[in-house]
């Protein structure tokens, strides 16, 4: 969305996740840039589960926006409406724009301050440490990775994973699912497929859970690892209401005009930033780059600190080799380097 005049155009980025942060970092010297995000920090999403078993890890995976945005403005608030040339925040503030990027990702309810998020990680860790038995509901990447993290760091815990599908990691092929299942079983994780647990029927403090097949599971605590809602629902009441698909995602063209959510956020952000830089400098739209998925890797799901299961274009593998790619550092060092973050945390 474009318009306006002036030497430096006004660029507003809504959403401080991976995509929004990368765009803001890249374009902060090419525009009068404002980042609108309800948090004062970027949370590297694929590193969050490691923070639950090792809270100190979150010290590196939670990055203050101010540590990489040195030539822009941060508004720690929710965007609630979009107008032809302004964004309205939840505090009633109107933020003008010539160009607008929407990169709201998923609707996670996280605290505003980084220190409060660190306290949450510490509380989750204490919850895990205090439990002898743990129930994980959901067998997608979040549930499988959390089970792997706990099983490796706390092998004495009894872990039960309940998934409503007929196999784990259903977004991957059957071979990857079977390898992940076998790995979890080898770590003494009990996996129950084709079942659900209705947590709404469980009273607070109750340690007995019942599955849809009538099985009884005793656990000291549980973690819900099912899908998260998109963070774009608020757009239904804005001028972009007709740009949403049936699932509520913002529709984009091949040039990433209007930002898309997804696991390829860095690549999408790179394409969007290059095209915005071209347009803001007066370049011709015909020279814009089209977004293409070039990687042949479908996914890598970490399994604790050393192993992972990976599905590539021609093969599926599990163990130390894919683990070396992701599991040790979970790409945190790479992300910090790309954002030019110093090796120490600034407060």
């Amino acid at each position: 969305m474009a318009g306006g005049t002036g030497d430096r155009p006004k660029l507003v980025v809504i959403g401080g996740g991976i995509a929004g942060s990368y765009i803001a970092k890249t374009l902060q010297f090419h525009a009068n840039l404002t980042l609108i995000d309800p948090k004062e920090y970027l949370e590297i999403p694929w590193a969050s589960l490691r923070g639950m078993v090792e809270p100190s890890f979150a010290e590196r995976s939670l990055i203050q926006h101010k540590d990489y945005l040195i030539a822009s403005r941060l508004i720690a608030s929710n965007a609630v409406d979009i107008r032809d040339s302004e964004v309205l925040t939840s505090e009633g503030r109107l933020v003008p724009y010539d160009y607008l990027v929407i990169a709201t990702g998923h609707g996670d309810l996280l605290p505003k301050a980084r220190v409060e998020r660190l306290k949450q990680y510490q509380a989750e860790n204490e919850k895990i440490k205090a439990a002898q038995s743990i129930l994980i509901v959901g067998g997608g990447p979040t549930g499988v990775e959390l089970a792997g993290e706990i099983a490796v760091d706390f092998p004495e815990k009894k872990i039960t994973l309940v998934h409503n599908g007929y196999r784990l990691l259903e977004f991957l092929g059957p071979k990857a699912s079977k390898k992940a299942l076998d790995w979890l079983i080898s770590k003494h994780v009990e996996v129950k497929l084709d079942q659900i647990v209705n947590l709404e029927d469980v009273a607070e403090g109750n340690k007995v859970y019942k599955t849809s097949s009538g099985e009884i599971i005793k656990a000291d605590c549980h973690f819900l690892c099912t899908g998260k809602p998109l963070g774009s629902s608020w757009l239904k009441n804005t001028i972009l209401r007709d740009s949403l698909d049936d699932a509520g995602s913002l529709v984009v063209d091949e040039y990433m005009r209007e930002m898309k959510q997804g696991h390829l956020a860095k690549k999408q952000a790179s394409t969007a930033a290059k095209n915005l830089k071209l347009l803001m400098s007066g370049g011709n739209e015909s020279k814009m780059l089209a977004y293409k998925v070039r990687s042949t890797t479908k996914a890598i799901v970490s399994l604790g600190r050393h192993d992972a299961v990976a599905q590539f274009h021609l093969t599926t593998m599990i163990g130390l080799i894919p683990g070396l790619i992701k599991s040790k550092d979970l790409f945190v060092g790479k992300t910090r380097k790309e954002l030019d973050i110093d090796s120490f945390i600034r407060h």
Side-chain angles (χ1 to χ4, degrees), residues 134-137 158-162 189-192 217:
I134 298 170
L135 170 64
I136 296 174
V137 180
K158 176 177 171 53
I159 305 169
T160 303
L161 188 154
V162 178
V189 176
E190 185 176 3
V191 179
K192 297 181 182 296
I217 301 172

Side-chain angles (χ1 to χ4, degrees), residues 293-312:
V293 180
R294 300 184 184 277
S295 174
T296 57
T297 303
K298 281 195 174 181
I300 302 177
V301 177
S302 64
L303 299 169
R305 295 178 181 272
H306 306 293
D307 295 332
V309 59
Q311 181 171 292
F312 298 96

Side-chain angles (χ1 to χ4, degrees), residues 20 39-41 94 103 177 216 265 310 328 330:
K39 315 182 308 305
E40 296 173 349
Y41 55 91
L94 286 172
S177 296
I216 299 298
K328 183 177 180 180
L330 300 174

Side-chain angles (χ1 to χ4, degrees), residues 127 131 133-135 137 197-211 215-223:
K127 177 180 174 180
S133 52
I134 298 170
L135 170 64
V137 180
V197 177
N198 189 350
L199 297 175
E200 294 181 358
D201 294 337
V202 179
E204 186 175 351
N206 193 344
K207 298 182 179 182
V208 178
Y209 303 82
K210 188 176 182 179
T211 74
E215 289 192 54
I216 299 298
I217 301 172
K218 294 183 178 180
D220 295 326
C221 67
H222 74 269
F223 293 97

Side-chain angles (χ1 to χ4, degrees), residues 128-145:
I128 292 171
K129 285 182 175 180
Q132 295 299 314
S133 52
I134 298 170
L135 170 64
I136 296 174
V137 180
T142 302
V144 169
E145 289 194 345

